[in-house]
Amino acid sequence: MFIVGLTGGIGSGKSTVAAEFQRQGIDVVDADLVARDVVAPNSQALQQIQYYFGDSVILTDGSLDRAALRAAVFNNEQQRRWLNQLLHPLISQEMQVQLKAASSPYVLWVVPLLVENKLYQQADRVLVIDLPVEQQKLRAASRDRQSIAQIEQVLASQASRQQRLAVADDVIDNSRPLSEVKRDVSTLHQHYLQLSQH
Ligand code: ATP
């Protein structure tokens, strides 16, 4: 399976661009969705998390209280390590299953932390969604109810624009109007169709 890894910083436009590829009939495997699925209500992983952290990380509807879990591991390296050791193999296994199950000519693998976790080696091609940091902040802030300070914290924990661009095979400049970005997607789609045939 020919894998196109798509990445970009917070608010850069990954979901927007991925939806365009999907409209072209391309299967999308989204690391964030997989990460959510593995801790779905009644999953084994969620039961283990509840056992380890206690009921305070579970919401009344039985789903994971992400904010509570984030707060619990924030200043506790040992607990953070325990959580990562539980979730990373599960997420990576499930992503492999979904990538293998894809039936389109190539598959788009959306991974926000592709560079940070050095996963770009597992992609045949890396597509970076690029946006100046100031615009990232404005778009992320207008979409979520996160404060600029919270967004800046996320930005500081992510790879820099330069680090991302250094591993890019292709780049979409998402500071332009969506109509132009959609044209880029069509062009890249044709290119990836060709590449995936060899
Ligand atoms: P995150 O990593 O934070 O989940 P993301 O990279 O998936 O974000 P999107 O949710 O696709 O980013 O886009 C962030 C915001 O910017 C959304 O509100 C989206 O509608 C808007 N947006 C995306 N592309 C453009 C564009 N070319 N012009 C204007 N607004 C855009």
Side-chain angles (χ1 to χ4, degrees):
M1 177 51 82
F2 191 86
I3 300 173
V4 176
L6 181 150
T7 194
I10 181 171
S12 59
K14 297 179 293 296
S15 309
T16 305
V17 171
E20 279 307 306
F21 278 97
Q22 212 158 19
R23 262 176 15 99
Q24 309 264 1
I26 294 306
D27 290 342
V28 172
V29 175
D30 184 324
D32 277 352
L33 289 184
V34 171
R36 224 168 294 161
D37 281 352
V38 300
V39 291
N42 301 318
S43 63
Q44 212 186 355
L46 188 58
Q47 284 168 19
Q48 283 175 267
I49 289 169
Q50 182 172 10
Y51 189 71
Y52 187 87
F53 289 95
D55 294 344
S56 63
V57 299
I58 307 296
L59 294 167
T60 44
D61 66 359
S63 66
L64 178 62
D65 185 341
R66 287 167 186 285
L69 186 62
R70 252 198 314 276
V73 299
F74 184 62
N75 265 326
N76 192 321
E77 192 48 42
Q78 193 191 342
Q79 295 195 340
R80 181 197 298 276
R81 209 172 312 129
W82 180 89
L83 187 65
N84 285 339
Q85 279 169 5
L86 171 72
L87 295 182
H88 277 185
L90 290 174
I91 294 168
S92 135
Q93 224 168 43
E94 179 56 24
M95 285 196 303
Q96 292 309 321
V97 168
Q98 293 192 13
L99 288 169
K100 282 209 182 97
S103 58
S104 50
Y106 64 91
V107 60
L108 191 73
W109 184 31
V110 182
V111 191
L113 300 180
L114 190 82
V115 174
E116 292 82 346
N117 293 339
K118 296 195 169 60
L119 293 170
Y120 43 82
Q121 288 140 347
Q122 295 177 38
D124 296 290
R125 193 94 188 162
V126 173
L127 170 58
V128 167
I129 313 305
D130 185 48
L131 194 65
V133 171
E134 284 312 310
Q135 267 179 290
Q136 265 183 277
K137 285 186 207 171
L138 291 177
R139 285 191 190 167
S142 70
R143 189 203 44 199
D144 310 334
R145 270 195 226 104
Q146 289 193 78
S147 67
I148 293 283
Q150 280 169 318
I151 292 163
E152 281 175 345
Q153 220 174 26
V154 175
L155 274 164
S157 73
Q158 293 186 338
S160 68
R161 245 180 117 184
Q162 287 67 25
Q163 285 170 323
R164 251 182 240 110
L165 292 173
V167 301
D169 295 298
D170 308 297
V171 178
I172 289 182
D173 170 5
N174 198 23
S175 66
R176 294 167 309 136
L178 267 180
S179 54
E180 288 182 28
V181 171
K182 285 180 185 180
R183 272 205 297 276
D184 282 3
V185 170
S186 298
T187 308
L188 283 170
H189 174 60
Q190 293 307 323
H191 190 200
Y192 296 152
L193 283 177
Q194 278 185 344
L195 287 175
S196 60
Q197 278 170 3
H198 299 298

